[in-house]
Amino acid sequence: INDSNTKIYVDAIRHLKKLLTYTQARTPEFCILHNEIGMYYVNCNDHKTAIYHFKQILTVKNDISDVFNNIAVCHITLKEYNPARVCLNISLRLHPCDSVYSRLGEVNLHTKQYDASIKAYESLRNPSARDLYNLCFPYLSKKQFLKGYKLYESRLASNDISTQTNQIARAEIPSIQYWNGTDICHHLMIIYEQGIGDNIQYFRFIIELSEKFPKLKITYFCKSNISHLFNVEPYENIIVCDDSRPLDISIYDKKLYIMSLPYILKLEQITPNTINYMVEDVDNNNVWQNKLTPFDNKLKVGIVYSGLLISYIDKCVQLNDFKDICTDDRIQSFCLHRLDNTISTDFSHIDFADKIIRYDTLDNTKPFVDTMSLLRNIDILVTIDTSIAHLGGVMGIKTLLLIGYTSEWRWFDTDEKVWYDSVEIIRMTEQKPLAELLPRVKNILITEYDNKYSN
């Protein structure tokens, strides 16, 4: 919401509140005014005040389903899922409605009540493709992959702007038919979609597909910011091309989007990745080894504390919360972020910036090339749920992954190592800030230091 809109909303609230002073309590007008004021507070992102005004309506009339629904939406935005669930259930008792069932499915998913989430989504009378897409997540969270990945294909019904990346979810190439995994195909184009981490993680399935169909020629078409990352030399039937040059689509029989590969492969279980398919630059590794040699008497720890994505998922820790870790003399911390304005501002607000090593030229030549070499020369990576977690996992780097109470389905709800043996999940089991995990992280780091220098 921009500033001009906010001013309009604030002016509207002021006038409505003035009208409220002339309105007799417990009348229809009283309810209408509180509802309008509540909606304007929602538009101003002041959801706590909005809840107060919606609840004023309930003191007069407590059988309006939309009021309970509005209160629930505010609670969801505030991540207050238990009161949201209560309000949604009341709303449904008053008036069963697909939009409310959908929200109840969302709330139950966020709180890891997967069966209840499935029940809510499957109660929809006229589910949309978006509803079916949302239904896939509780199934995937329960590791019912055949059902979950089939429903995940519902995402292909539209190509809306992604709520997390603010970018189109995938490149559309309508002239190439979609492959069902069984029709005759000699040359298949697999197309990049979603975020960098998704593609790093799911590249393993391109390799699996190439092994299942050794005579199938596979071209992975991706963005130029990641095309240099993947080592396809061991695989004769895989090549990588990117969007930096014109694409001759006439040579392809069929296409697939990379996130559809588990469905095409009929994935029934996930085992930890065993192949490091990232390119290795030995010379650059040596350069970074020399840079980090002065810190060989300490535990070298890479830190990634915030991401670019907008999401309901907990994916951010304040840099200042790392103070106890970064100021410990046994630990040398390295910032793995590129030093843009946001990161530089974060560093200007802490009093221990000199304790964290930063590199102005990190990845200036190509994305991730220095990051990968730096990862190979540290002892441990501490990161939120972002692309570097998958990069470290594929490379076999010891990684502590900070996972909040509301998390991606792919990290499930246990600490077992599903995708990568080298990634240890440090999980928040209640709705609290990720920063509360850092004392546990500190203990693990000190144990690592003691083990490294015990001899």
Side-chain angles (χ1 to χ4, degrees), residues 399-444:
T399 300
L400 303 182
L401 175 59
L402 308 181
I403 294 293
Y405 181 67
T406 50
S407 59
E408 280 271 9
W409 71 265
R410 69 191 81 190
W411 303 117
F412 305 104
D413 59 355
T414 68
D415 294 344
E416 64 180 297
K417 297 178 179 180
V418 178
W419 295 95
Y420 315 103
D421 279 331
S422 67
V423 175
E424 181 178 349
I425 294 175
I426 312 298
R427 185 185 301 277
M428 182 61 69
T429 56
E430 51 187 322
Q431 193 71 57
K432 291 184 177 180
L434 277 179
E436 296 201 16
L437 294 173
L438 294 181
R440 180 178 165 191
V441 169
K442 172 73 178 291
N443 290 336
I444 294 172

Side-chain angles (χ1 to χ4, degrees), residues 40 63 189 228 249 297 407 418:
Y40 276 117
D63 60 352
M189 175 192 285
H228 59 284
I249 62 175
N297 62 331
S407 59
V418 178

Side-chain angles (χ1 to χ4, degrees), residues 1 4 12 72 77 79 93 102 108 139 160-161 177 196-197 244 247 269-270 279 305 307 317 340 377 381 417:
I1 299 173
S4 61
T77 304
K79 297 185 179 180
R93 285 199 298 270
S102 182
N108 286 326
Y139 276 111
D160 299 336
I161 296 290
Q177 289 185 335
I196 292 174
S244 65
L247 182 67
Q269 63 177 347
I270 296 170
V279 166
Y305 63 91
V317 183
D340 58 16
N377 284 285
L381 167 66
K417 297 178 179 180

Side-chain angles (χ1 to χ4, degrees), residues 196 224-226 228-229 288 302-308 319 334-347 356-372 374 381 383 386-388 391:
I196 292 174
S224 57
N225 62 344
I226 67 163
H228 59 284
L229 298 180
W288 281 94
I303 292 177
V304 178
Y305 63 91
S306 69
L308 298 175
L319 180 58
F334 298 86
C335 175
L336 270 63
H337 291 276
R338 294 197 66 183
L339 297 185
D340 58 16
N341 290 337
T342 300
I343 302 301
S344 297
T345 299
D346 290 345
F347 273 86
I356 308 174
I357 303 297
R358 294 161 285 167
Y359 296 100
D360 294 337
T361 60
L362 189 71
D363 298 329
N364 274 0
T365 55
K366 285 184 179 180
F368 294 105
V369 291
D370 291 322
T371 294
M372 289 195 295
L374 205 162
L381 167 66
T383 180
T386 189
S387 57
I388 291 182
L391 191 64

Side-chain angles (χ1 to χ4, degrees), residues 38 143 150 219 294-295 333 338 341 385:
K143 300 183 181 179
K150 182 178 181 179
T219 295
F295 312 106
S333 303
R338 294 197 66 183
N341 290 337
D385 181 9

Side-chain angles (χ1 to χ4, degrees), residues 120-133:
Y121 281 124
E122 292 186 342
S123 296
L124 295 167
R125 294 181 180 180
N126 298 295
S128 65
R130 171 64 64 176
D131 293 322
L132 295 175
Y133 168 70

